[in-house]
């Protein structure tokens, strides 16, 4: 996906949902779920970067 507009993310999410529903094996569903997670991280990069920074600086 080259463009990062809200409509593009929504269209890609819809495509992946259909692909997940059509998946015939657990492996295929897992692959689609990985793609969906990557899309989520791409769409919300700032949030994920903030969480990662908080995790790295947390006092354990």
């Amino acid at each position: 996906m080259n463009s990062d507009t809200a409509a593009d993310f929504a269209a890609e999410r819809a495509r992946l949902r259909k692909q997940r529903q059509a998946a015939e094996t657990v492996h295929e569903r897992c692959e689609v779920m990985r793609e969906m997670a990557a899309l989520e991280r791409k769409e919300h990069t700032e949030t994920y970067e903030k969480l990662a920074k908080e995790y790295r600086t947390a006092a354990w």
Side-chain angles (χ1 to χ4, degrees), residues 4 22 26 34 41-42 47 49 59-60:
D4 290 341
V26 171
R34 284 186 190 95
R41 287 188 303 273
K42 184 176 180 181
T47 300
E49 287 175 354
W60 298 97

Side-chain angles (χ1 to χ4, degrees), residues 12-20 32 35-36 39:
E12 181 66 4
R13 215 174 358 268
R15 184 190 69 78
L16 288 169
R17 277 195 301 269
K18 287 180 184 178
Q19 189 176 344
R20 184 185 62 203
V32 174
E35 289 182 49
M36 292 176 89
L39 180 66

Side-chain angles (χ1 to χ4, degrees), residues 26-51:
V26 171
H27 177 73
E28 289 173 347
R29 283 190 292 279
C30 286
E31 289 298 318
V32 174
M33 291 304 295
R34 284 186 190 95
E35 289 182 49
M36 292 176 89
L39 180 66
E40 175 75 14
R41 287 188 303 273
K42 184 176 180 181
E43 184 175 15
H44 302 286
T45 302
E46 290 178 16
T47 300
Y48 281 88
E49 287 175 354
K50 180 180 175 188
L51 290 171

